[in-house]
Amino acid sequence: MATRIFSKRIVRVALLLLIPLVAIQFIHPRLENPPVSADLQAPPEVKQILERSCYDCHSNQTHLLWFDEIQPAYTLVKGHVLKARKMLNFSHWDSLTPPQQKATLYLSLNKILYGEMPLSQYTMLHRNAKMTEEDITVLKKYLVNLTPVKVSDTSRVNAGNRQYAQWINHSTTPVAVQPAANGIEYIRGYNNWKAISTTDRFDNGTIRVIFGNEVAVKAIEEGNINPWPDGTIFAKVAWDKLVDSSGNIHAGEFKQVEFMIKDAKKYAFSKGWGWARWLGMQLKPYGGKNVNFSRECQGCHQPFKDNDFVFTMPLQLKAK
Ligand code: HEC
Ligand code: HEC
């Protein structure tokens, strides 16, 4: 008798719990697929990978599976899709200039390499959206070929060498350099700091060197780099990469210098770092009047959040 009352109560409770679950199935504002204005154009093997792994969220061609349609999953999925489309939408590819398109693909590759994209919550249920090593190789190859290495003529190589010599001597640094829109002042003399790493960015044909100030170098020596101590500054310089007829690589035109300045308190709002970049020999502040330009920097450095947002592993530590 007692057990019967008890089990009746369980059924009643279970039914009560079911009601909201059933009810929310009707709260189902549809996720629309708005028109595609200009779809990304890429070779079919590249396109297929992106369609399979990214298009459900980053395009206006979202295909939901039956289990995505069930609440509360539906609201979650819809939230992801709306947010993802806002940040990157392959269906409005023409809203980006060709250099922006290339940079976006490079950012995408980074997000894939660091396991941020596609979202793991999604690939758990959508197994075929998982990226394989082969997929990644295909994407990399495609990006490399977007920027073929061209042999530069001798006059360009010579001009590059001259500019490099000037850069070493600071002889062309303008007397007054405008601060960046976020208030960060240009830092002179970084080219006397220690070079801690150098990389060759395959997608956009530049040579880059990363310098660290004294605080950074000391932190490296002491192995105290996560988090980096306040006062650490990195400067990253990029030159055009020129290749002469013998295949030697030269630094060409000076493209830009950018800085990350560590101050956990002062820059708490931007991941503990102050971000700024100056373009060309004229050192024009990047971002114009937009104080929020550094969101772009933070976004691309985000995959390295467990590394205090720093990509570079100093050469010295790598060798250890
Ligand atoms: C399940 C949905 C989902 C899938 C699938 C997905 N993304 Fe995302 N993606 C998002 C969301 C949500 C964001 C915004 C993340 C944030 O900032 O919180 C995002 C952000 C990004 C960004 C950052 C854009 C910016 O301007 O900062 C890139 C790049 C990106 N995704 C690329 C990809 C690529 C490439 C794929 C496929 C390999 C992919 N995503 C698959 C949901 C998704
Ligand atoms: C598209 C991705 C991307 C964006 C956007 C980006 N960075 Fe980076 N940054 C990198 C990568 C990748 C490295 C690692 C070195 C390399 O490969 O060039 C790096 C390295 C750096 C370094 C050297 C320290 C380190 O983390 O290795 C500085 C300084 C830096 N970036 C500053 C900036 C600033 C300032 C901005 C914004 C104005 C910015 N970055 C925007 C990708 C990006």
Side-chain angles (χ1 to χ4, degrees):
M1 187 69 182
T3 37
R4 250 185 60 210
I5 293 173
F6 183 61
S7 59
K8 248 192 198 157
R9 191 173 292 160
I10 288 184
V11 170
R12 206 178 302 145
V13 170
L15 277 176
L16 273 176
L17 285 177
L18 254 179
I19 290 171
L21 252 188
V22 173
I24 58 175
Q25 303 309 320
F26 297 98
I27 316 172
H28 215 152
R30 298 304 310 166
L31 177 67
E32 306 283 343
N33 269 333
V36 175
S37 69
D39 194 18
L40 163 82
Q41 297 302 313
E45 67 277 14
V46 172
K47 197 69 189 293
Q48 264 168 23
I49 295 170
L50 297 177
E51 280 174 356
R52 203 184 63 228
S53 297
C54 320
Y55 266 49
D56 269 351
C57 296
H58 292 289
S59 84
N60 295 348
Q61 298 170 50
T62 305
H63 297 289
L64 294 183
L65 299 178
W66 65 266
F67 47 80
D68 297 319
E69 301 270 3
I70 297 172
Q71 289 290 21
Y74 186 80
T75 304
L76 195 76
V77 171
K78 189 177 161 196
H80 280 155
V81 174
L82 293 180
K83 189 162 178 201
R85 281 179 183 165
K86 242 188 235 150
M87 314 220 33
L88 160 62
N89 193 334
F90 289 112
S91 300
H92 299 309
W93 199 232
D94 60 343
S95 65
L96 303 176
T97 63
Q100 284 172 333
Q101 293 174 351
K102 218 158 68 178
T104 302
L105 289 173
Y106 184 74
L107 173 63
S108 294
L109 181 65
N110 268 332
K111 298 244 170 200
I112 293 166
L113 289 177
Y114 303 125
E116 273 196 40
M117 287 291 145
L119 293 179
S120 54
Q121 280 166 302
Y122 171 80
T123 48
M124 259 180 347
L125 290 174
H126 302 77
R127 296 250 161 218
N128 70 337
K130 271 211 166 136
M131 309 278 300
T132 64
E133 284 301 317
E134 277 154 60
D135 294 340
I136 292 174
T137 308
V138 170
L139 287 182
K140 268 192 189 160
K141 254 203 200 133
Y142 172 61
L143 272 179
V144 172
N145 289 334
L146 283 182
T147 319
V149 175
K150 282 191 287 269
V151 171
S152 314
D153 58 43
T154 315
S155 65
R156 212 171 149 213
V157 170
N158 289 342
N161 288 345
R162 258 197 317 276
Q163 219 189 48
Y164 185 71
Q166 287 172 343
W167 173 82
I168 297 243
N169 302 321
H170 318 251
S171 56
T172 51
T173 307
V175 187
V177 179
Q178 290 294 315
N182 56 7
I184 293 179
E185 298 276 352
Y186 179 70
I187 299 171
R188 286 171 196 275
Y190 68 86
N191 45 353
N192 297 324
W193 296 351
K194 203 164 171 186
I196 57 171
S197 180
T198 168
T199 47
D200 192 353
R201 189 166 148 181
F202 61 83
D203 69 309
N204 70 356
T206 56
I207 299 180
R208 293 148 310 156
V209 179
I210 291 152
F211 297 89
N213 70 350
E214 267 173 41
V215 180
V217 171
K218 183 156 171 278
I220 293 168
E221 283 162 2
E222 293 171 354
N224 172 31
I225 64 167
N226 199 356
W228 290 85
D230 280 357
T232 298
I233 310 181
F234 294 112
K236 177 177 141 186
V237 192
W239 291 272
D240 263 341
K241 180 161 86 184
L242 302 182
V243 181
D244 67 21
S245 47
S246 326
N248 298 314
I249 291 176
H250 296 257
E253 204 176 317
F254 173 86
K255 305 278 277 197
Q256 62 180 35
V257 56
E258 53 192 359
F259 295 95
M260 285 171 69
I261 304 158
K262 181 73 194 247
D263 189 325
K265 264 211 200 107
K266 184 173 174 193
Y267 298 121
F269 63 94
S270 55
K271 323 269 187 198
W273 294 91
W275 309 77
R277 175 191 284 170
W278 283 266
L279 302 176
M281 289 300 267
Q282 290 75 37
L283 297 171
K284 243 180 88 201
Y286 173 80
K289 296 204 163 70
N290 174 12
V291 253
N292 289 324
F293 71 86
S294 75
R295 291 219 181 116
E296 182 193 330
C297 320
Q298 296 164 47
C300 200
H301 281 246
Q302 178 71 16
F304 274 67
K305 57 178 182 295
D306 295 335
N307 216 16
D308 202 10
F309 302 95
V310 174
F311 278 90
T312 300
M313 188 60 177
L315 290 172
Q316 193 191 338
L317 289 181
K318 241 193 249 168
K320 271 192 186 161

